[in-house]
Structure formats: C-alpha cells, structure tokens
Amino acid sequence: MLFWQAPSFSDYPDFFRYHHREAGRVTVEWDSAESILFAYGYDPVTVAGTGITMWEFGAELTLRTGQEIDAWMKSDPARPVMHFSPIRQWMNDPNGLCKIGEDWHLFYQLHPASTEWGPMHWGHATSTDLFNWTHLPVFLHPEQNLWRLGATGGAFSGNAFKDRDGERMFFYTERLPAYDLFKGYREIQKLARLGQTALHPIGSETVIATRPVDDGVEHDFRDPKVWWDETTGAYRMVLGAALHGDPAVLLYGSDKLTDWTYLGPIYRAPTHYRENGARAVECPDFFSLDGKWVMVMGFVGYTEPSTGRHNLLFAQVGDFVDDTFVPDTEELQVLDFGTDFYAMQSFRADGRQIAMAWLFNWEDRKPPGSPYSGEMSLPRELRLDAAGRLLMQPVRELEATWELEPLAIAGDGGYRLEDAPFDLRLTGDLDQTTIVAAEGKDVTFEIVVSHGSVAIRLPHDNGKISYRAQYVSATDLRIVHDRGIIEVFVDNGAICGTRRTYQSVAPDRITVESQAQVTLFERRAVQQPRSVGAAA
Ligand code: FRU
C-alpha cells in the first residue's frame, strides 16, 4: 500500500512531514538521493530520550540514532569533539538556552537545506551535562516557504523565558520574506509557548508587529531578550536595532507578555560606530549579575579602525534604574579579541549565569565537502570582578565530562600531542611568552605575549587584521584547543580571545617559551552511559 509520495522534487527545497500511524515494516524508495537535503525520523513518545534518527540517502538508506550519530560525527577528523556542532548543514547563533528539569536545552539558528546561511529554522538539542548532546527535531520553521519565494528570513534569534507562573516560552524574531540582505526587510517579534514535551511549540503568536518607525528605527529590529523586572513589577524586553543609523538597544514593557509598549532606547552607540560601518545591534543580552546590570551587544558591520577587526562583541556594566541603563563607564569592554565569538546568549540556571556563542566571523569557511558549518563555544560561566569587568570561564561541567591528563615535556623542550583537545595553563610572569602549536612543519597557531599585549596569530593571517588585547597586570593564561578552535582566557577570563582555523586542526607538537610556570593537559572524554534509541 502506498502511504505517502512526493512525485518529484522541485527546483527549490520544500519541507515534507509524514506521520506513519501504523505498526509494521515500511518500505522506502527514492530515485534521487542528492535532492534529499536533510531527513530524519522519530517516535514522538521516545524521541526526548533517544534523539532523532538521521536518514542518510545514498545507494542505501542509512539510519543513525544516538551513539551512532555521535560515532559518525567523531569519524570526521576535522570536527571538534568537545564543542557542539550540528549534525549536518548550517548553524549560527545559540537560541533559547535554558534548563528544564535536569535537561539543558540548546536551540540554534539552522539552515537545514545547505551548509550556507539561508531560510532560518531553530535546531534543538538537549544534554544533562552541557557537553554530550542529544539531537532533537527541528523546533521552529519559517512561516512561509522562503526557498520557493527566492527569499531569506524565517525564525531568527530569540530567548527562552519563564513567566511568573512558571510557564516556559520563547520570544524570537521572524524576518518576513526578504529579498535584500541589508535593507528593506520587515522583522516582527513572536512568542512561542512550549508544549508538555518541549519538542514543539504549541502555538506561535505575533506580539510586536510594527517597529517605532517614527522614532527613526529602520529595518533592523530583532533578537528579543525578555525578563521579569522586580523593580517595575512588569515584563521587559530588549531588542537590537538602529536609531537614525546608530546601533541601538530598544526597551519594551508589558504586563501580559502579549502586548508590548515601546519605552525608548536604553543604549545608543556613539557616532564612531556608524562612521565605521556599524548598521545595528544584534543579539543584545541584558542581565543582572553580582549586583550590577550587564549589556552585551554585537555591532553588525562595524570594523575597528585601529585593528581592522570586525564581528566584535561588546559589554558594558552599570545599573538599571527607572527603565534607564546607567553605565559605570562609557567605555565598552571588547568581549573577545579574536572575533570568532559572536551572538553570545546567556541565561540563569543553578545560580549561575551561563553563556554560549557562535564561533564564526565570516573571514573564513570550512573547506568544501564538510557536512556542516558552525560550532558553539564551550559553555562559559560569567562573573564580574571588583573592577567591574565581565569575566568568562569554561563551566565546571567540563571537568566532569572531559578529564585532564597531564602531559610531560619531551626531551627537545616541546610537548607531543595526540589528536585530543588540550588545556594549557601558564601562571606567573607572562611577559615574553611564545606558544607555537604545529602539525608537522605547518604552524597551527601562535600565541605571543609581549609588553602587556596578547595576540593570537594564524599562519594565513595577512597582517591586515590584528587579533590582540592589552592587559595591565595578568599572571594567568589558559588556552583550550579542540580541532582548530582556540579559546584563550587571560586574567581570570577578563580578557578572552577565540579563533577558529580550518587549515590545520590536529597539531602534534607544542612549544612554550615563557618565564611563567607551564602545565599542559590533554582532555579525555569520560564515557557517559547513554541509551541508544531504536530506529524510527
Ligand atoms: C546574528 C544574526 C541575528 C539574527 C540571526 C539570523 O548572527 O544576524 O541578528 O537573528 O543571526 O540568522
């Protein structure tokens, strides 16, 4: 009996869903494996535990679930092993981060039809330890078939939120069909409530349909973050935008979560940013931490004249009084001097402020043929120090899931590396430190500390962009490396730099010249017991 058939695939991607409501064997036939871009199956009753089953069409149909997906992902020698990446296709920003019961939920911007950015969906994965992930069905789809329209847009970034009654929901942006990447589009804000199972939203409604055009807000109007504000006794939302061309963060207020009032801008960037290319704020994050309020923003389009860097994330610390953000200093803290750390999203859970970011800056791409693009940073815990600087450090769960194994220095003054993540720590006088990781004769990366400045260099850097940061009196430096992801933490995490290289990802040797004390660890995965699901 024929249950379901797509007679032919069209010139543009289409999304099909089929529910098989009978028990027994099913025969699947196909005649064009290449036209199936992303396929998965699942049993709604068990998928939360087992994860989806990926359907890989070739000469045969290969089904992979749970550990089989993990093993397939690990078989790619170019894929980082400690950092989250999507099974297939394009990923960008982390979205909707939250903890429900014992499960951490990570949603992310996903384009399931290719390894390039395109019509946006929300991918979804869960974990009990923030490092081992179970891949779940796509959570949000664009409102319309944007591929067919030849348009982009869709379910853009947003946050998870729990209201005063404990109801879990998500606020996100829908970019309506867009025919230009930089202007003339329309962005609306939507609310998706979460069903019992946390697998699908049980409805999605528009809560802000128009932007404050008369106040000078142009097409950029996105990436909501919502919270319950104790002092005003009402809900508050920030949105990334531009105000008369200056990157800005807008504040909205609501009593019911379904209708929102514009309360005005709470941040407007100095003209310097607009003059150097910044078009808008993206992914504003605003949260209270250690008695203060912290604003984190990406300025899309901005190039820093003194270094040539773009894709920078900035933080500012201050107070939030009467719906006004009063920064302690006008200066913005550069959150990552390496610039491969963008669209950071943080959330509160277990008494900690935890964040993840997308490791990408549009300078470089994975080599052609990769089944996916995009990785997340290590989950990080955020703190403030006495000087009011935002500190970031890998979360403590890293220690329980990836054990440290000390490495001894080899006779020639270098360390031999296996193809495993490593964690290098220096304490003491950092000045005149040079760290070189190499794969055979090829340098993977170089870190140089000299006269109060720390820099990460990749061999293919052309000198036009300088990835460095100044520090005043640091005595600690830590580097975590995982298959071409280099995350640097200096001065307790007040200075962080992340870079992603795709050229050389498995250094076999590292040399450290330094007056500081050096310890090098390899990280070994602690085997987690995990259920393997039955194929769908
Ligand atoms: C940041 C961003 C967001 C937007 C999303 C679209 O990387 O541009 O502003 O919501 O990505 O994928």
Side-chain angles (χ1 to χ4, degrees):
M1 185 166 125
L2 181 64
F3 290 110
W4 186 91
Q5 186 181 30
S8 67
F9 289 114
S10 29
D11 296 339
Y12 45 82
D14 253 314
F15 166 65
F16 300 100
R17 190 199 306 260
Y18 167 66
H19 292 217
H20 187 67
R21 296 187 161 84
E22 323 228 337
R25 290 178 69 84
V26 176
T27 304
V28 178
E29 288 178 1
W30 64 98
D31 54 14
S32 166
E34 315 76 66
S35 42
I36 304 167
L37 302 172
F38 191 80
Y40 61 91
Y42 61 93
D43 176 346
V45 178
T46 55
V47 67
T50 62
I52 53 172
T53 297
M54 283 303 282
W55 290 40
E56 302 283 355
F57 289 87
E60 305 276 312
L61 171 58
T62 309
L63 303 184
R64 293 194 187 95
T65 310
Q67 286 175 344
E68 293 150 359
I69 294 178
D70 292 347
W72 176 79
M73 290 169 78
K74 283 197 188 103
S75 71
D76 175 352
R79 196 193 275 259
V81 291
M82 262 180 358
H83 291 75
F84 179 85
S85 55
I87 307 173
R88 281 194 173 276
Q89 310 296 39
W90 169 274
M91 174 184 87
N92 53 291
D93 315 355
N95 293 153
L97 296 175
C98 60
K99 189 175 190 193
I100 305 178
E102 288 309 302
D103 293 325
W104 302 95
H105 287 252
L106 163 63
F107 300 84
Y108 54 89
Q109 290 284 282
L110 168 73
H111 181 215
S114 92
T115 53
E116 294 291 324
W117 187 82
M120 278 292 121
H121 297 58
W122 276 33
H124 185 191
T126 53
S127 172
T128 51
D129 58 21
L130 283 168
F131 286 89
N132 293 287
W133 295 95
T134 299
H135 298 267
L136 295 176
V138 170
F139 186 71
L140 289 174
H141 288 254
E143 273 185 3
Q144 304 174 55
N145 187 339
L146 300 169
W147 299 300
R148 175 169 37 203
L149 299 174
T152 61
F156 272 25
S157 287
N159 274 262
F161 174 72
K162 204 155 110 181
D163 73 5
R164 273 176 302 167
D165 305 325
E167 190 191 343
R168 182 80 56 175
M169 58 191 84
F170 298 90
F171 286 90
Y172 67 100
T173 299
E174 181 91 28
R175 182 182 283 184
L176 302 178
Y179 298 91
D180 187 306
L181 284 181
F182 302 107
K183 57 182 191 315
Y185 38 74
R186 201 166 145 214
E187 299 183 328
I188 60 172
Q189 317 312 323
K190 290 168 70 170
L191 183 170
R193 296 181 193 273
L194 194 59
Q196 281 280 304
T197 61
L199 286 176
H200 297 290
I202 48 168
S204 176
E205 54 184 307
T206 302
V207 293
I208 305 179
T210 51
R211 60 189 196 270
V213 186
D214 297 342
D215 293 11
V217 174
E218 290 156 48
H219 33 265
D220 295 300
F221 181 59
R222 62 178 174 274
D223 308 338
K225 166 116 189 193
V226 173
W227 71 98
W228 165 252
D229 189 57
E230 292 290 345
T231 34
T232 41
Y235 297 105
R236 290 290 177 266
M237 174 196 289
V238 284
L239 284 168
L243 206 56
H244 299 291
D246 290 323
V249 179
L250 312 182
L251 183 68
Y252 275 75
S254 172
D255 294 327
K256 302 201 295 281
L257 293 169
T258 42
D259 54 2
W260 292 84
T261 309
Y262 179 45
L263 302 175
I266 63 164
Y267 178 82
R268 180 169 179 172
T271 50
H272 162 85
Y273 292 97
R274 173 186 17 161
E275 286 159 9
N276 289 284
R279 297 192 299 274
V281 166
E282 291 189 313
C283 303
D285 198 354
F286 192 52
F287 51 93
S288 64
L289 183 67
D290 300 338
K292 301 293 283 186
W293 279 81
V294 182
M295 178 83 82
V296 175
M297 307 166 278
F299 291 173
V300 62
Y302 174 64
T303 301
E304 190 176 57
S306 55
T307 60
R309 291 181 301 187
H310 59 92
N311 215 53
L312 287 165
L313 262 194
F314 295 101
Q316 208 174 32
V317 177
D319 296 302
F320 183 54
V321 192
D322 295 334
D323 284 333
T324 307
F325 178 50
V326 187
D328 291 345
T329 133
E330 286 309 313
E331 212 182 310
L332 297 175
Q333 179 184 344
V334 171
L335 261 197
D336 194 286
F337 71 87
T339 75
D340 272 320
F341 183 90
Y342 195 66
M344 187 192 89
Q345 178 170 105
S346 76
F347 66 112
R348 191 124 199 117
D350 296 352
R352 292 179 284 166
Q353 192 75 18
I354 297 174
M356 282 172 106
W358 170 44
L359 306 182
F360 198 81
N361 76 1
W362 301 99
E363 277 290 316
D364 206 0
R365 300 290 169 109
K366 276 196 82 84
S370 169
Y372 79 100
S373 171
E375 290 115 6
M376 294 300 174
S377 67
L378 291 176
R380 298 180 180 183
E381 181 174 345
L382 308 183
R383 299 297 309 267
L384 286 186
D385 72 2
R389 299 177 303 175
L390 187 60
L391 311 180
M392 300 193 282
Q393 291 281 1
V395 290
R396 56 174 178 257
E397 281 82 353
L398 176 61
E399 310 313 317
T401 49
W402 285 87
E403 268 168 0
L404 290 174
E405 202 174 282
L407 284 188
I409 197 153
D412 59 359
Y415 297 83
R416 300 265 166 276
L417 299 170
E418 302 279 320
D419 182 12
F422 65 78
D423 202 321
L424 175 68
R425 289 148 192 215
L426 275 70
T427 14
D429 187 355
L430 302 175
D431 198 28
Q432 305 307 319
T433 292
T434 304
I435 300 163
V436 182
E439 187 172 356
K441 289 201 179 59
D442 299 327
V443 169
T444 307
F445 67 84
E446 214 178 345
I447 291 179
V448 178
V449 186
S450 174
H451 299 106
S453 134
V454 48
I456 314 177
R457 294 186 199 143
L458 300 181
H460 58 275
D461 284 351
N462 60 13
K464 290 203 177 113
I465 307 179
S466 163
Y467 300 97
R468 64 171 67 244
Q470 296 297 127
Y471 65 87
V472 180
S473 61
T475 53
D476 61 275
L477 181 147
R478 176 177 178 192
I479 302 161
V480 181
H481 173 266
D482 177 15
R483 296 253 175 93
I485 295 173
I486 307 143
E487 289 177 88
V488 177
F489 305 87
V490 184
D491 204 8
N492 276 316
I495 296 168
C496 295
T498 306
R499 295 202 64 189
R500 176 68 167 106
T501 176
Y502 303 110
Q503 328 294 326
S504 157
V505 300
D508 48 35
R509 189 163 185 276
I510 185 161
T511 49
V512 185
E513 279 174 39
S514 180
Q515 311 162 61
Q517 194 193 327
V518 181
T519 13
L520 178 60
F521 301 94
E522 253 175 20
R523 287 207 173 260
R524 299 273 167 209
V526 176
Q527 290 312 315
Q528 308 282 323
R530 179 175 173 178
S531 56
V532 188

